Each structure stands twice: as structure tokens, then as C-alpha cells.
Amino acid sequence: MNSSIHPAFEKALVADGDIPWEKVDDKIQRKIMSFSNELMLVKVAFLQGGIGTMHKHPHLQISYVASGAFEVTIGDERRLLQAGDVYFVPSNVLHGAVCHEEGVLIDVFNPLREDFL
């Protein structure tokens, strides 16, 4: 194993069914699909009305709306995004999302979110 990879990283090829859902709250659950020290991909499923509370972190984040519809706020900009859309969050910028239609976000972070492990 490469010493620059976090010790919990085990698989380069990941089947969705092999990863359990982690409950975030009553309307949000997530799966940490894969990661290294530099990069992490997380699948986040929202029920309608689920809220990704406004927050900020030092990580770069890019997110793909795999399904559903989300009102995403980044800084002072807000927009309704739907399946196929993408948003980018720079480091330390306040952001959040409200789920308008049940769906899934695919979040990619650089570096990994150690607070998720």
C-alpha cells in the first residue's frame, strides 16, 4: 500500500452495494464511496425537504446532481439545480442545499473530509 494513502482506503474498484448507508439525519444519508488523502467521493441521498445546513470547510468541493432537484446556495448566490447539473464550492465559502425533489448528490472533496471518517 502506498504510504501517502489513508490507511482506511482499501478498494480502487467499488460496488455500490458493498458500501452501507450512514444516517446523517431523518432525511439525509450518505455513503463514502472511495478516498485517498487528496480526494474523496461521497454519495448523499436526500428525501424531499432534507437540508444540507449552511456551513463552510477548507476543502474544495464539486458536486454532481445525480437525481432530484436542490436549491443550492454558495456565498450570496442561490439557484435551483436538477439532475445533470454541477456546482463548485471554493475553500471556506459558506454553502448549503435544500432538497426540493428527492434525489442524490455526488460530492467530491479535495483533500478528503477526515471529519467524515
Side-chain angles (χ1 to χ4, degrees):
M1 180 183 289
N2 182 332
S3 63
S4 69
I5 295 179
H6 192 284
F9 178 85
E10 297 175 2
K11 297 180 181 178
L13 301 171
V14 180
D16 182 60
D18 291 344
I19 307 294
W21 287 104
E22 171 190 344
K23 184 176 179 176
V24 175
D25 65 29
D26 289 339
K27 294 193 175 198
I28 302 173
Q29 56 185 354
R30 70 179 169 218
K31 291 184 181 193
I32 298 170
M33 300 302 293
S34 193
F35 63 91
S36 70
N37 285 333
E38 295 80 25
L39 197 61
M40 175 181 268
L41 188 138
V42 180
K43 180 187 285 190
V44 188
F46 287 75
L47 294 177
Q48 185 173 0
I51 298 173
T53 307
M54 294 295 288
H55 65 287
K56 62 182 177 177
H57 45 71
H59 315 82
L60 294 174
Q61 176 180 343
I62 192 162
S63 297
Y64 172 74
V65 181
S67 62
F70 297 83
E71 182 178 275
V72 178
T73 302
I74 301 171
D76 59 2
E77 186 175 352
R78 179 176 297 153
R79 186 164 181 187
L80 184 65
L81 299 178
Q82 299 179 22
D85 295 338
V86 171
Y87 62 92
F88 175 76
V89 183
S91 297
N92 296 310
V93 173
L94 196 61
H95 62 284
V98 176
C99 181
H100 285 244
E101 176 186 313
E102 182 175 335
V104 173
L105 297 176
I106 305 298
D107 295 338
V108 178
F109 299 99
N110 174 345
L112 72 92
R113 294 284 305 264
E114 289 194 16
D115 57 317
F116 283 11
L117 300 177

